[in-house]
Amino acid sequence: MAEKMVRLLCILSALGFLIHHQAVVAEEDSALSLGRSIYEHGIGRDGREVNATLHGNLILKGTAMACINCHGENGRGGRESFIRAADIRWANLSKPYASRNMGGAELPYDQESFAKGVRAGISASGRKLDPAMPRFDLADDEILSLIEYLSRIDLTSHSDGSRFSILGLLPQPGSNVLADALASELKNCPAREDGAPIAAVNIVYFDSPSDAILKLEKQLAKNPNALVLAPFLVGWEGQYAEAVRRLNPQTVLPFSLLDAPVGSNWKFYFPGLQAQILALIKLIKQEGYSYLRIQYDSGNELSTQLNEFSRKIASLHQIKVLNGVSPTKKTQQERIRSAWLWLKPVVMEKIENVSELDELMLIPALYFPSRNLETGAQLLNRRIAYPYKPTDNSGIWRVPASIWGKAACEFLLRVGEKSINPQDLPEVLRLEEGFFLYKQPTLDLSSEQVFVYKSLTPDVQ
């Protein structure tokens, strides 16, 4: 009897959970449906025609003032007569913007400020919205429903399903300075002078690589057409590559130390460490070097992996790898035919043999701290490989997050301007004169995109 009672209680508990779950789902669907009705038809709760006031005195009702008329089917906005309607997708409205010109920073919208904007025409920053923007008489639940719809409009629009949402995949704020800087760049893309819309990014924060993959799976379950922009993959490129082989999203501008694995769906990636090493070995081959020594950390997995890769590439280019000892040098000409590849951090204080400074040093930028640029290291005969153009046209040195951010913002402008689908990505992403990225380069082509900074000792110049 007791056993039957326990089973009955379990069944009732399960039924209760299912009923509650169905009620929650029904409530969410109801809110989404109401939000869509307001957005597309100007029809509020219980079939009520929403009233709106335009220019302070013109009263409009129903479909005459529906949001879709100006902001479009997907909420991205565009030009309507002589007015450019804003991108009102919630991911765009709720993100902060940096200060521009003489004005202050534009504050992001929350539920309260959005309601004030819709009803009274006052922005989140307290400024008056354009009088061409109607003022609506929406109730609180209608406001919430509209926000719900604007949060999911990319997934619910009556399009052909080709449009996609854009996800950012970054560590939790405060856990990585570089990732925080990249997040700031993604959230604050500068507007173009012609007013072209910028596509919104939904940033997904993660605690660990496994957490990132789990959250990505959930996002892709909602929208299989999602694109992942600038995911922060430093140190877990392999795990991500394995996961996306199953999930198959497009990955654009991955923030990664390594090059894209063969067969991956990665687009517009900066040259990784393998491409940088290949570029350096090509360079010494062209300059007539015959020998290569490799400095690496046998206790570091990445350094060891790169050592094996470097040896294979050197062999392919007929460069002999020496095991730790410089070849006997009888003349200055023979001496400068030897190069020294660093696959671990360069620490000037720990270089024991001063004569080794005369050898050509090949260094991926990752292993050459920027502070060395202002020390006695200036006297080294070296080549430093960068995955991007390290200085702007004025000669100012740039940091990685600003480079990735510039590229991501350019990509978002292209997407927002054209509402392109995944098959319409450009073949080349141009960032500035002489600086561009191919859509999906081979390792050899990627090595041609490497920027090599050259510095010579006075006696060699």
Side-chain angles (χ1 to χ4, degrees):
M1 183 67 180
E3 185 178 347
K4 290 182 178 179
M5 183 61 71
V6 171
R7 288 181 179 176
L8 179 60
L9 288 174
C10 289
I11 292 172
L12 290 174
S13 176
L15 286 173
F17 172 78
L18 288 173
I19 291 171
H20 173 73
H21 177 70
Q22 289 175 347
V24 170
V25 172
E27 184 177 345
E28 291 179 349
D29 290 344
S30 176
L32 186 64
S33 178
L34 176 56
R36 182 174 200 154
S37 178
I38 294 169
Y39 185 88
E40 294 185 348
H41 307 294
I43 303 298
R45 184 181 1 91
D46 302 323
R48 175 184 71 90
E49 279 194 307
V50 176
N51 292 321
T53 304
L54 186 63
H55 294 293
N57 54 19
L58 179 61
I59 305 299
L60 300 175
K61 288 189 176 184
T63 56
M65 48 62 57
C67 312
I68 195 172
N69 294 339
C70 292
H71 297 283
E73 188 178 277
N74 56 18
R76 295 172 184 263
R79 191 166 293 283
E80 176 71 14
S81 298
F82 298 102
I83 300 170
R84 177 169 287 280
D87 182 341
I88 60 170
R89 290 172 297 168
W90 188 247
N92 192 55
L93 292 177
S94 60
K95 74 176 183 179
Y97 291 87
S99 300
R100 298 193 182 103
N101 302 325
M102 297 300 290
E106 187 68 27
L107 297 176
Y109 282 92
D110 55 19
Q111 179 187 332
E112 182 179 351
S113 58
F114 180 72
K116 193 171 183 179
V118 167
R119 292 168 177 159
I122 304 297
S123 78
S125 302
R127 64 177 178 81
K128 288 186 178 181
L129 297 176
D130 193 299
M133 171 70 183
R135 282 45 166 164
F136 302 91
D137 67 339
L138 295 178
D140 288 345
D141 64 326
E142 291 173 321
I143 291 285
L144 288 174
S145 295
L146 185 55
I147 290 174
E148 174 71 14
Y149 182 68
L150 294 176
S151 299
R152 299 170 61 182
I153 191 168
D154 275 335
L155 309 182
T156 55
S157 64
H158 292 302
S159 67
D160 59 5
S162 61
R163 292 190 180 94
F164 50 79
S165 63
I166 302 174
L167 306 175
L169 198 61
L170 297 172
Q172 289 287 356
S175 59
N176 185 290
V177 174
L178 196 56
D180 289 347
L182 181 57
S184 178
E185 295 282 346
L186 289 174
K187 291 178 180 178
N188 296 286
C189 291
R192 215 162 66 184
E193 291 183 1
D194 62 3
I198 301 173
V201 180
N202 176 23
I203 296 182
V204 178
Y205 292 104
F206 60 85
D207 295 309
S208 65
S210 57
D211 181 49
I213 291 170
L214 181 62
K215 288 179 175 177
L216 181 59
E217 287 178 339
K218 290 181 178 179
Q219 291 289 334
L220 293 174
K222 296 178 184 177
N223 182 14
N225 287 328
L227 175 150
V228 186
L229 178 66
F232 198 82
L233 307 179
V234 177
W236 60 288
E237 292 92 339
Q239 290 170 264
Y240 180 82
E242 183 179 346
V244 298
R245 282 194 184 97
R246 294 185 288 104
L247 304 172
N248 199 36
Q250 292 195 87
T251 298
V252 175
L253 289 163
F255 200 102
S256 169
L257 296 179
L258 300 178
D259 286 274
V262 175
S264 63
N265 198 13
W266 297 15
K267 305 292 195 309
F268 303 117
Y269 47 87
F270 287 92
L273 286 167
Q274 297 100 319
Q276 294 168 50
I277 291 169
L278 175 56
L280 290 170
I281 290 177
K282 282 181 177 180
L283 182 146
I284 63 171
K285 179 64 178 178
Q286 292 170 0
E287 295 185 3
Y289 286 82
S290 304
Y291 299 99
L292 179 69
R293 289 192 296 145
I294 301 176
Q295 289 283 335
Y296 74 102
D297 182 356
S298 60
N300 180 280
E301 183 179 352
L302 175 62
S303 185
T304 301
Q305 177 184 343
L306 294 176
N307 172 54
E308 294 174 359
F309 172 82
S310 301
R311 288 175 177 274
K312 291 178 182 178
I313 294 299
S315 177
L316 288 173
H317 288 80
Q318 290 80 50
I319 301 291
K320 184 177 181 180
V321 178
L322 302 170
N323 294 317
V325 180
S326 300
T328 301
K329 311 182 188 103
K330 297 180 179 179
T331 67
Q332 173 71 5
Q333 183 178 6
E334 290 175 335
R335 184 161 57 117
I336 64 172
R337 294 305 93 190
S338 175
W340 197 11
L341 176 62
W342 281 74
L343 301 178
K344 65 179 183 179
V346 175
V347 181
M348 299 305 301
E349 297 81 1
K350 293 185 178 181
I351 296 179
E352 298 176 355
N353 188 349
V354 177
S355 67
E356 290 173 336
L357 299 181
D358 293 324
E359 289 186 270
L360 177 63
M361 296 183 71
L362 309 175
I363 315 167
L366 173 69
Y367 297 117
F368 191 79
S370 57
R371 62 183 176 81
N372 282 341
L373 289 170
E374 301 174 359
T375 68
Q378 283 281 17
L379 299 178
L380 290 175
N381 181 15
R382 67 177 186 267
R383 305 286 188 272
I384 306 173
Y386 286 86
Y388 52 81
K389 189 178 179 183
T391 61
D392 62 18
N393 294 330
S394 301
I396 304 299
W397 286 84
R398 303 190 277 201
V399 296
S402 70
I403 294 293
W404 258 266
K406 178 183 178 67
C409 289
E410 178 63 28
F411 178 82
L412 291 173
L413 270 172
R414 286 174 176 254
V415 173
E417 183 178 40
K418 300 179 180 178
S419 297
I420 60 177
N421 63 45
Q423 285 70 45
D424 291 334
L425 294 178
E427 291 302 316
V428 174
L429 185 64
R430 299 191 182 279
L431 306 180
E432 58 188 52
E433 186 66 31
F435 184 19
F436 59 90
L437 295 171
Y438 291 108
K439 182 178 179 179
Q440 200 163 18
T442 61
L443 180 63
D444 192 64
L445 189 58
S446 189
S447 72
E448 300 296 330
Q449 299 290 100
V450 173
F451 287 83
V452 179
Y453 176 86
K454 299 181 180 181
S455 179
L456 302 174
T457 57
D459 61 325
V460 176
Q461 286 180 327

